[in-house]
Amino acid sequence: MRRPAGSSVSGAALGALALVGSVVAAEPPMGDYLPENTSAAAVTVEKSDAAAAEVVILTQAVAIRETGPMQTVKRFGEVYAFSPATIVVHRDEPTRLRFWNLQPDDEHDVMLVDPKWNVVMKVTLPPLRDTAYVLTFHREGLFPFYCTVHQPAMSGQILVVPPAAAK
């Protein structure tokens, strides 16, 4: 989580972090999960080719056993990140999210939650694979996403804003 220098973490932020941990712990170690029923009210997910926009999200090795820095790996373990970590999309605009897992030997996943922290999607990102879905967000707000294996660093957010103004 990034904060401005000199700022402190509020009680609400600590509560949100605790909630993230409980969501991760509560998620069963099973296959992919795509939205249905109540989750689909917030976002629909498809494997279609029809998308108005596209964003490529890379997995990035920040500090790993193979290349170090070893002091960082020893203290924090392996550290990965999503790049970019913040994405802005328009409500009701189908957007293809392409996750490129650039690591040859590490599997990642991505779990997307809605603004109320309900899990709406969880998919596996196999090594050296491009995994793509077309997401259409039906509600505005902040949708956090993260790799459940590599917390707390490997996380991001999707900001859903009003539809683009017609030209």
Side-chain angles (χ1 to χ4, degrees), residues 55-98:
V55 178
V56 175
I57 304 157
L58 308 174
T59 64
Q60 211 169 23
V62 178
I64 59 172
R65 285 183 199 97
E66 294 84 358
T67 60
M70 291 306 141
Q71 294 148 323
T72 303
V73 174
K74 183 177 179 181
R75 182 166 180 184
F76 297 102
E78 290 191 306
V79 180
Y80 295 92
F82 286 116
S83 180
T86 300
I87 300 159
V88 179
V89 301
H90 291 283
R91 178 175 45 86
D92 297 322
E93 179 179 83
T95 304
R96 180 177 296 104
L97 296 183
R98 295 179 64 192

Side-chain angles (χ1 to χ4, degrees), residues 146-159:
Y146 48 92
C147 175
T148 61
V149 179
H150 299 104
Q151 282 298 293
M154 196 170 190
S155 58
Q157 57 192 359
I158 300 171
L159 177 60

Side-chain angles (χ1 to χ4, degrees), residues 25-36:
E27 179 63 21
M30 51 178 22
D32 293 352
Y33 167 77
L34 298 176
E36 56 186 46

Side-chain angles (χ1 to χ4, degrees), residues 33-52:
Y33 167 77
L34 298 176
E36 56 186 46
N37 302 333
T38 56
S39 297
V43 61
T44 51
V45 179
E46 304 173 303
K47 285 289 260 178
S48 76
D49 290 328

